[in-house]
Amino acid sequence: MASENLTASSYIQHHLQNLTYGQHPDGTWGIAHGAEEAAAMGFWAIHLDTMLFSIGLGILFLWLFRKAAKKVSVDTPSGLQNFVELMVEFVDQSVKETFHGKNKVIAPLALTIFVWVFLMNTMDLVPVDFLPHLASLLGVPYFRVVPTTDLNATLGMSISVFILIIYYSIKVKGVSGFVGELTLQPFGKWMIPFNLLLEGVGLLAKPVSLALRLFGNLYAGELIFILIAILPWGIQWALSVPWAIFHILVIVLQAFIFMMLTIVYLSMAHEDH
Amino acid sequence: MNINLTLIGQAISFAIFVWFCMKFVWPPVIAALEERSKKIADGLEAANRASRDLELAQEQATKTLRESKEQAAEIIEQANKRANQIIDEAKEQAITDGKRLRDSAQSEIEQDVVRAKEALRSQVSALALIGAEKILGASVDQKAHSEIVEQLAKEL
């Protein structure tokens, strides 16, 4: 724990606080100390820990895969290449099963989502106090190491996917086709307001559900790790080990679901009804 | 939970990662995978073709072998026939030659016999004459009696 006289609730709150950099209400720039200060910064603040880990893990992913892709060999694949090929083939298979059109973006997009989200989720398996404690030794007051427990990260991805959905809907069906899809079904042209409400909610629910599903799963997982960490140190392993093993499944599954739903949404955007 | 600039930062980094993946990671790997699967398909096809070729070649070989065996048998048969023919011809030739030789020898013998008889006859007439001369003690007029003597010799 960060300090000896911490209560359980403040310990939990401390762990759920991002390292937020922004402008204080009094006009100075700096790190927010506590949730109220972070909230007072409003929209124009940034979570340095989320950005650091998400970009770091993204670069790790691209560095690894690029390394394998640069010396890719047809006849004698090496160890790293085998792993990369496995991932690429798995993603390619998933995309081909779901999406039947021609699109050069979807498969790499799906690969990026899968591996990146998986890596970010994997940070959840690092013991909850390990990196924050190291950071506090370096003078960093707050440090959340799992980017996907930050709603900003998941929403950032799902909104990007949402923009792609709208882009491809308009590209494939045209503006009129897309508008028609939103207004003329399911009840025909005499019920346009109702149709618009229904389809609009359906459309907006896609990115929101995408972001909240991933965020909710990982947030809950992290919270339970934090709760386990409050227990006396001698019995922590009895709970944290089973939970971590179960969490391995959650990590992969959530990454896969995010990828799969992205593919499904984008293939729906390509289809005419 | 605060929604703030992190959202936009995440969206931008996500976009950059996807772009990088699309440009530099996905194409070489997927190209290698496709090339490998094509290679494997080609290899399998080549193997199929090779085994088909082998089958054809084996068939061809057995066929050729059978044909050459037949030819060899035919040649041997012909040679046998020819040999028999040659032997027959030679036999026939020998028989005719022998016959001819025997015939000519026989005719020669007969001529010799005739010639000997002739000579004998003439000598007998002379001997008879000498004998008669001796017997008669007198010389017989050869000219006057030659007709008789000759007749005698002919009777011999």
Side-chain angles (χ1 to χ4, degrees):
Chain A
M1 289 189 199
S3 74
E4 300 305 318
N5 53 0
L6 230 48
T7 63
S9 76
S10 71
Y11 172 77
I12 294 169
Q13 268 181 0
H14 183 265
H15 263 287
L16 295 179
Q17 172 65 44
N18 278 104
L19 182 66
T20 314
Y21 181 85
Q23 192 179 25
H24 291 293
D26 60 10
T28 56
W29 290 80
I31 304 291
H33 293 276
E36 292 82 16
E37 276 187 30
M41 284 175 176
F43 184 76
W44 297 103
I46 193 156
H47 293 157
L48 295 176
D49 44 4
T50 303
M51 293 305 293
L52 175 72
F53 278 102
S54 61
I55 292 175
L57 290 169
I59 288 171
L60 174 70
F61 149 60
L62 290 174
W63 173 73
L64 262 183
F65 275 57
R66 177 67 188 153
K67 206 174 121 185
K70 257 198 295 200
K71 47 180 183 184
V72 69
S73 107
V74 176
D75 296 319
T76 50
S78 62
L80 180 64
Q81 196 192 330
N82 276 330
F83 169 71
V84 168
E85 276 179 12
L86 188 77
M87 301 301 283
V88 167
E89 202 148 36
F90 164 68
V91 171
D92 194 44
Q93 209 65 40
S94 305
V95 171
K96 276 184 182 144
E97 272 168 20
T98 314
F99 179 73
H100 303 294
K102 254 196 174 301
N103 192 319
K104 275 190 186 150
V105 180
I106 289 184
L109 174 77
L111 178 71
T112 309
I113 287 173
F114 182 65
V115 182
W116 195 31
V117 170
F118 171 72
L119 285 174
M120 289 195 287
N121 290 352
T122 308
M123 293 306 290
D124 215 3
L125 293 177
V126 178
V128 280
D129 270 322
F130 189 63
L131 290 173
H133 192 69
L134 273 182
S136 77
L137 289 180
L138 294 171
V140 179
Y142 303 100
F143 212 50
R144 285 182 78 187
V145 297
V146 192
T148 41
T149 57
D150 185 349
L151 189 57
N152 289 298
T154 59
L155 260 182
M157 276 190 286
S158 70
I159 286 174
S160 306
V161 171
F162 181 62
I163 290 168
L164 281 179
I165 291 173
I166 292 178
Y167 171 72
Y168 282 117
S169 290
I170 291 174
K171 195 184 170 195
V172 173
K173 299 162 202 164
V175 176
S176 60
F178 183 49
V179 170
E181 196 178 273
L182 285 179
T183 53
L184 296 177
Q185 57 171 6
F187 293 122
K189 58 182 175 178
W190 301 111
M191 298 279 274
I192 282 175
F194 188 67
N195 289 340
L196 186 62
L197 182 70
L198 217 59
E199 289 290 318
V201 167
L203 187 67
L204 290 175
K206 285 174 183 172
V208 174
S209 69
L210 207 54
L212 286 180
R213 181 181 302 106
L214 181 59
F215 164 71
N217 271 284
L218 270 292
Y219 189 83
E222 196 202 21
L223 197 58
I224 289 175
F225 275 122
I226 293 169
L227 290 175
I228 292 169
I230 294 172
L231 296 170
W233 65 269
I235 59 163
Q236 277 185 17
W237 64 270
L239 288 168
S240 65
V241 168
W243 181 242
I245 291 170
F246 173 67
H247 217 64
I248 293 172
L249 182 71
V250 175
I251 285 167
V252 182
L253 197 65
Q254 286 307 318
F256 177 70
I257 289 172
F258 201 108
M259 176 193 84
M260 219 47 218
L261 283 177
T262 303
I263 299 170
V264 169
Y265 290 158
L266 286 177
S267 78
M268 275 162 73
H270 279 73
E271 275 162 17
D272 268 316
H273 291 285
Chain B
M1 190 49 54
N2 313 307
I3 297 297
N4 58 25
L5 208 57
T6 315
L7 180 99
I8 294 168
Q10 284 289 319
I12 292 169
S13 36
F14 180 50
I16 293 170
F17 291 153
V18 171
W19 171 81
F20 188 91
C21 181
M22 196 174 89
K23 267 273 180 301
F24 301 109
V25 174
W26 190 264
V29 176
I30 208 78
L33 285 176
E34 270 164 15
E35 198 184 329
R36 185 177 311 144
S37 69
K38 190 172 165 287
K39 251 189 174 175
I40 290 171
D42 285 356
L44 285 176
E45 202 195 329
N48 267 339
R49 210 172 36 235
S51 74
R52 217 168 35 238
D53 283 356
L54 181 66
E55 215 170 279
L56 273 177
Q58 270 174 345
E59 219 168 87
Q60 187 71 34
T62 21
K63 200 172 141 201
T64 314
L65 194 64
R66 203 175 51 236
E67 272 176 7
S68 44
K69 267 183 184 166
E70 272 170 17
Q71 263 178 358
E74 204 176 312
I75 287 169
I76 289 171
E77 202 185 327
Q78 270 181 357
N80 274 338
K81 218 193 274 177
R82 180 91 187 107
N84 284 337
Q85 205 179 343
I86 287 170
I87 289 171
D88 285 352
E89 273 174 12
K91 268 184 188 165
E92 227 163 89
Q93 184 77 35
I95 288 166
T96 42
D97 277 7
K99 206 171 171 188
R100 189 160 44 80
L101 277 175
R102 204 182 53 207
D103 286 355
S104 68
Q106 203 145 17
S107 64
E108 217 164 296
I109 289 167
E110 274 166 12
Q111 273 173 12
D112 281 357
V113 167
V114 169
R115 248 199 314 274
K117 271 184 181 167
E118 208 68 39
L120 274 176
R121 202 178 281 145
S122 56
Q123 276 176 1
V124 164
S125 65
L127 273 175
L129 255 171
I130 295 169
E133 226 174 294
K134 289 234 170 108
I135 294 164
L136 293 171
S139 85
V140 177
D141 187 3
Q142 257 184 344
K143 272 179 194 159
H145 304 290
S146 68
E147 206 174 313
I148 303 163
V149 172
E150 212 131 290
Q151 215 165 354
L152 197 71
K154 255 177 201 161
E155 274 167 24
L156 273 170

